[in-house]
């Protein structure tokens, strides 16, 4: 009331000073009266706003204490509105209170908002379980998005093909609905991986003999590629029919690498690298390699590099195909007796000169003769180490006795 009265008085002065013949220097007095009126108007606005806020806060407190209903909704823009006041955003299943609200005012508003959040989250959970697979997407950083909102994050699980799903949901979501969301996301993820990595799952689920099945399982667990030397024992046990069946499934038994060429697409490789990084809990930026031979700026885990379709040789990444061609060329030169160290060898192999010796070592060739006239020969295979003696006190030693005991 006092502010309103002062505004009325200053407006009387404003009328007086706008009569140019009533005062000396009317322009100065007009500016002064206008400035005073502006300050009084601002103060009145703040006072009225505060009175409205105080009354609304008191009304909210009364309604909360009495248990009466308060108008609270989640609109199409994902804003949570209580009594006409935006109190936060509900993105996916996660509620974020809006910043900048007075703490005392926010407390009753948020309490009212949580009353509407529970049914809103339940509705969204039901909607998510009924949505088609096209509504979901896996981001480059391993997040599951539903209708553009992040609802879960992939974490390390039992294996690269079996990541764990960590929900990103508000605590107000009921346990039953939470399990529904978890089951739907798991179902979608499995279907998505089976579709995008079809050759891998076909290899893993094929009807094969025991040696071939063991080989296929190791390849699948390594996301489609392993150095051949790691699989030498299983490959030696493969029969002619096993090899034919594995070739029909798209598996290539190369000289240096065993892999599935059908997984060589750019998008597929990025998915494989992401799954491998999630399993290894590697937070570093993932490599995006292109070309047959790439210089590595930093060392990468073998598993991640294999997922990209490359093998590491002396700070270089060499693609599977290029390494196979190099191995074939080296073996031909060795068979003809022409595998000797000279300046022409790097040109013949079409690799950087500093890569020749590490490459030959990687291909199991060793230098023979003097350094000045080096020739190379295949390294002899090391005999398998004898089996370790069985500890008679080991609980597993009983298995040998059971095996030898006649029925």
């Amino acid at each position: 009331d006092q502010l309103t009265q002062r505004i009325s008085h200053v407006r009387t002065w404003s009328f007086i000073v706008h009569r140019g013949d009533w005062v000396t220097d009317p322009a100065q007095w007009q500016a002064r009266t206008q400035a005073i009126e502006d300050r009084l108007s601002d103060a009145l606005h703040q006072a009225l706003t505060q009175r409205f806020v105080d009354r609304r806060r008191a009304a909210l407190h009364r309604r909360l204490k009495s248990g009466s209903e308060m108008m609270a909704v989640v609109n199409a823009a994902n804003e949570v509105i209580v009594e006409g006041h935006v109190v936060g955003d509900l993105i996916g299943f996660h509620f974020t209170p809006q910043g900048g609200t007075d703490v005392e005012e926010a407390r009753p508003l948020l309490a009212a908002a949580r009353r509407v959040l529970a049914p809103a989250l339940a509705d969204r959970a039901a909607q998510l379980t009924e949505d088609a697979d096209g509504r979901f997407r896996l981001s480059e950083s391993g997040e599951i998005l539903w209708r553009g909102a992040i609802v879960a994050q992939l974490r390390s699980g039992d294996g690269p093909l079996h990541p764990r799903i960590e929900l990103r949901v508000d605590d107000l979501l009921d346990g039953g609905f939470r399990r529904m969301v978890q089951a739907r996301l798991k179902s979608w993820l499995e279907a998505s991986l089976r579709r995008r990595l079809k050759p891998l799952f076909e290899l893993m689920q094929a009807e094969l003999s025991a040696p071939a099945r063991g080989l296929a399982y190791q390849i699948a667990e390594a996301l489609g590629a392993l150095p051949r030397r790691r699989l030498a024992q299983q490959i030696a046990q493969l029969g002619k029919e096993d090899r034919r069946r594995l070739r029909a499934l798209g598996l290539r038994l190369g000289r240096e690498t065993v892999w599935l060429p059908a997984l060589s697409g750019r998008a597929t490789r990025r998915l494989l690298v992401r799954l491998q990084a999630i399993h290894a809990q590697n937070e570093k930026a993932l490599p995006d390699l292109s070309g047959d031979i790439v210089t590595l700026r930093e060392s990468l885990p073998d598993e991640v590099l294999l997922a990209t379709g490359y093998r590491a040789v002396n700070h270089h990444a060499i693609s599977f195909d290029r390494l196979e061609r190099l191995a074939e060329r080296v073996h031909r030169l060795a068979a003809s007796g022409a595998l000797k160290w000279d300046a022409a060898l790097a040109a013949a192999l079409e690799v950087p000169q500093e890569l020749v010796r590490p490459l030959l070592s990687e291909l199991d060739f060793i230098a023979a003769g003097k350094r000045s006239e080096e020739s190379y020969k295949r390294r002899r295979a090391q005999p398998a180490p004898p089996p370790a003696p069985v500890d008679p006190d080991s609980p597993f030693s009983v298995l040998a006795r059971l095996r030898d005991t006649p029925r």
Side-chain angles (χ1 to χ4, degrees), residues 351-362:
V351 298
Q353 192 163 343
E354 70 273 11
L355 192 56
V356 173
R357 284 194 176 91
L359 175 63
L360 294 176
S361 177
E362 178 70 19

Side-chain angles (χ1 to χ4, degrees), residues 286-298:
L286 301 179
D288 188 9
L289 306 178
S290 60
D292 285 346
I293 300 180
V294 183
T295 302
L296 294 175
R297 296 181 179 179
E298 59 178 342

Side-chain angles (χ1 to χ4, degrees), residues 299-353:
S299 61
L300 294 171
D302 288 342
E303 293 77 10
V304 172
L305 198 56
L306 284 168
T308 66
Y310 287 81
R311 297 276 301 277
V313 178
N314 193 37
H315 308 297
H316 288 76
I318 304 180
S319 68
F320 297 158
D321 280 322
R322 181 62 182 278
L323 188 60
E324 290 300 312
R325 294 196 299 270
L326 287 171
E328 185 67 28
R329 175 67 173 161
V330 167
H331 280 271
R332 283 203 305 267
L333 291 173
S336 64
L339 189 59
K340 295 182 180 180
W341 170 255
D342 55 31
L345 183 57
L349 298 177
E350 297 179 340
V351 298
Q353 192 163 343

